Amino acid sequence: MTVQDSTTLLDGVLVRLRAMIADGELAAGAPVREREMCELLSVSRTPLREALKVLAAERLLELRPNRGAIVLGLTERDVRDMFEVMEALEATAGRLACERASDADIAEIQALHWQMHAHYLRAELEPYFRLNQAIHARIVDATGNAVLQSNYAALAARIRNARYLANRWSRERWDEAMREHGLILDALIARDGARLSEILAGHLRGKGAAVLEHLQAPIPAEAGTRSAAAA
Amino acid sequence: MTVQDSTTLLDGVLVRLRAMIADGELAAGAPVREREMCELLSVSRTPLREALKVLAAERLLELRPNRGAIVLGLTERDVRDMFEVMEALEATAGRLACERASDADIAEIQALHWQMHAHYLRAELEPYFRLNQAIHARIVDATGNAVLQSNYAALAARIRNARYLANRWSRERWDEAMREHGLILDALIARDGARLSEILAGHLRGKGAAVLEHLQAPIPAEAGTRSAAAA
DNA sequence: ATCTGCCAGATTGCATGCAATCGACCAGGT
DNA sequence: ACCTGGTCGATTGCATGCAATCTGGCAGAT
């Protein structure tokens, strides 16, 4: 699939660049040169430049005037801040989802849960994570709140681009997370909003703590000052 | 102040357009034609087009391929969704602010509070609202969480552009809001995070309910489908 | 040896030209 | 009278050219 398949070149470039960042193809700190990227994507500078501006507004890139763009990494502070906000969003999502989710929504989340559980048993990290993210996203979606959804998705995308976070889970943490997911499912099925909200918040705190712990030693190429480009 | 004073034309255009939308100079549903706006701002199409893309990503505009951009209005659903998210964010902000705010932060918020109170007594709506927004923003800032800050600011900006929301407060609602603000200040000074969090959430719910109530009758020019342009 | 000033290459910021697309209007047919 | 098909004007999407800015290296002075 090339960039040209989209309705507009800009859209295609956006999709492609976001994927490249999320997949680590463009690592944190990597410079993004206009002409170079133009050749790679086979588009002219105009749509590419427009895409860079949008991605900068999403805090995925940093634009340094006259000096090009670089992929924004996450500082420890960023991760901490983001988990705090995600905790707030998911807690609210849990409460609302219990009120508003359709039975079909819950059934689907349940199905995802057991799929994930199977991967957990087989210690298949990659698909486990994919389903994990899907479950959390589905809970948020089940609130029917589009604003909540998009804010959550934006944060999730930014965190995902720090791929190294996913490595080196301790077995204990994994077991604990899986246990928590069991409680999450129970609360959702019981439509106990207060309980689900609390569990999700605790789950996020645990996740955040684990991530931050593993963020101490392996400090990857870190770059990017906090200068607000266009937010 | 013209657009040219900024470091880059794009930045200038962004600031200017955001202000025009927030001030209602560009009303909801109004089309934004490139050439027209270029003349108005005295820039060429390139920086203007880049700005439009960014504003679309911020959900302030909607880009319709080959048909130009229009200013996005807020549906009742949008407002409801946004207040739900703001409630979550402010609740978290209240809790964190009590832990982390410096005494100077609190003193400043206190000063803003009494200024606002003075305007309340004189029934000066406009400055009252300005200070109201400033107080809430300051509480969020006091958490030191940049992610929380920017997410909150983005929502506040989108809501602010629906200016009609500010009109026709009932006296009762105003009194109640002022009372609540007194409690907010008390809790903050006492650094009682749990209490502040709860009060802020309730305050937001009240605000949201009041806004939605007044949103029933005066349905202004509404426009914009929910098609995600580039989010 | 270190520092300062300058120059050249590279890269971005902006302006503009061209082609493709969309919407409105009008003519013709049923 | 209503509907269908086609054309024209307007507007956007994209490509490219030019000037301004920044980086790195080098020469010369202290």
Side-chain angles (χ1 to χ4, degrees):
Chain A
M1 150 146 188
T2 75
V3 151
Q4 283 78 5
D5 295 337
S6 306
T7 56
T8 185
L9 286 182
L10 168 62
D11 284 342
V13 171
L14 276 173
V15 169
R16 191 72 216 290
L17 282 181
R18 272 195 274 255
M20 289 178 74
I21 294 172
D23 295 349
E25 205 169 331
L26 285 174
V32 181
R33 267 178 256 300
E34 290 185 6
R35 284 207 141 78
E36 197 175 300
M37 197 52 74
C38 285
E39 283 192 24
L40 186 59
L41 302 183
S42 306
V43 298
S44 80
R45 287 179 60 216
T46 304
L48 181 77
R49 281 174 57 78
E50 290 170 354
L52 295 183
K53 306 297 189 271
V54 171
L55 294 175
E58 292 173 7
R59 301 277 201 163
L60 289 175
L61 297 180
E62 179 185 1
L63 301 180
R64 300 163 304 172
N66 290 312
R67 310 210 292 110
I70 62 174
V71 180
L72 264 184
L74 297 178
T75 65
E76 191 183 319
R77 181 24 130 349
D78 288 332
V79 173
R80 193 193 317 274
D81 287 355
M82 290 169 71
F83 269 101
E84 274 179 4
V85 174
M86 290 187 82
E87 181 184 326
L89 295 181
E90 285 212 28
T92 293
R95 185 167 48 76
L96 296 178
C98 283
E99 295 172 16
R100 301 178 192 163
S102 70
D103 291 340
D105 287 336
I106 293 180
E108 190 179 341
I109 291 169
Q110 191 166 12
L112 291 172
H113 175 88
W114 291 116
Q115 284 180 50
M116 181 177 84
H117 188 251
H119 291 301
Y120 161 74
L121 291 179
R122 293 186 229 125
E124 295 160 352
L125 202 67
E126 194 57 43
Y128 171 87
F129 270 108
R130 219 185 40 247
L131 284 162
N132 189 341
Q133 288 168 2
I135 288 171
H136 285 275
R138 285 312 201 140
I139 291 174
V140 171
D141 289 352
T143 65
N145 184 324
V147 174
L148 184 57
Q149 240 172 285
S150 67
N151 280 38
Y152 180 83
L155 279 177
R158 264 183 83 191
I159 282 215
R160 205 169 302 139
N161 97 333
R163 298 196 65 63
Y164 47 85
L165 301 182
N167 304 330
R168 293 199 0 196
W169 275 121
S170 72
R171 184 73 213 182
E172 294 77 35
R173 173 58 201 151
W174 198 357
D175 294 341
E176 187 188 358
M178 192 64 234
R179 250 195 326 274
E180 286 170 352
H181 263 274
L183 298 178
I184 288 170
L185 188 64
D186 291 346
L188 181 63
I189 290 175
R191 290 184 182 276
D192 187 338
R195 200 167 98 225
L196 179 54
S197 178
E198 210 169 314
I199 297 169
L200 280 171
H203 183 62
L204 258 284
R205 267 196 298 276
K207 213 184 224 168
V211 164
L212 283 170
E213 192 180 328
H214 287 308
L215 204 54
Q216 307 294 354
I219 297 176
E222 203 48 84
T225 56
R226 291 306 107 219
S227 78
Chain B
M1 148 142 187
T2 76
V3 151
Q4 284 77 6
D5 295 337
S6 307
T7 55
T8 186
L9 285 183
L10 168 62
D11 284 342
V13 171
L14 276 173
V15 169
R16 193 69 215 291
L17 281 181
R18 271 196 273 257
M20 287 177 76
I21 293 172
D23 296 349
E25 205 170 330
L26 286 174
V32 180
R33 267 177 258 298
E34 291 185 4
R35 286 206 140 77
E36 198 174 296
M37 197 52 74
C38 285
E39 284 191 22
L40 187 58
L41 303 183
S42 304
V43 298
S44 81
R45 286 179 60 216
T46 302
L48 180 76
R49 281 175 57 78
E50 291 170 353
L52 295 183
K53 306 298 190 265
V54 171
L55 294 175
E58 291 173 8
R59 303 276 201 160
L60 289 174
L61 297 180
E62 178 185 0
L63 301 180
R64 299 164 304 173
N66 291 310
R67 311 211 292 109
I70 61 173
V71 180
L72 265 182
L74 296 178
T75 65
E76 191 182 320
R77 180 25 124 356
D78 289 331
V79 173
R80 193 192 317 274
D81 287 355
M82 292 170 71
F83 268 101
E84 274 180 3
V85 175
M86 290 186 83
E87 182 184 325
L89 295 181
E90 285 212 28
T92 292
R95 184 167 48 78
L96 295 178
C98 283
E99 296 171 17
R100 302 178 192 165
S102 69
D103 291 341
D105 288 334
I106 294 180
E108 189 179 343
I109 291 170
Q110 189 165 14
L112 291 172
H113 175 89
W114 290 117
Q115 283 179 51
M116 181 178 84
H117 188 252
H119 291 301
Y120 160 75
L121 290 179
R122 292 186 229 123
E124 295 161 350
L125 202 66
E126 194 57 43
Y128 171 86
F129 270 107
R130 221 185 39 246
L131 284 162
N132 190 341
Q133 288 167 1
I135 288 171
H136 285 275
R138 285 311 201 142
I139 291 174
V140 172
D141 289 354
T143 64
N145 184 322
V147 174
L148 183 59
Q149 239 171 287
S150 67
N151 281 35
Y152 180 83
L155 280 177
R158 263 183 85 193
I159 282 216
R160 205 170 302 136
N161 96 336
R163 298 197 64 63
Y164 47 85
L165 301 182
N167 304 329
R168 294 197 2 194
W169 276 119
S170 70
R171 185 71 214 183
E172 293 78 35
R173 173 59 202 150
W174 198 355
D175 293 342
E176 188 188 358
M178 193 63 235
R179 252 194 325 274
E180 288 170 350
H181 263 274
L183 298 178
I184 288 170
L185 188 64
D186 291 346
L188 181 64
I189 291 175
R191 289 183 182 274
D192 186 338
R195 199 166 100 226
L196 178 54
S197 178
E198 208 169 316
I199 296 169
L200 280 171
H203 182 63
L204 258 283
R205 266 197 297 279
K207 213 185 227 169
V211 164
L212 282 169
E213 190 180 329
H214 287 310
L215 205 55
Q216 307 293 356
I219 297 175
E222 204 50 85
T225 57
R226 290 307 107 220
S227 78

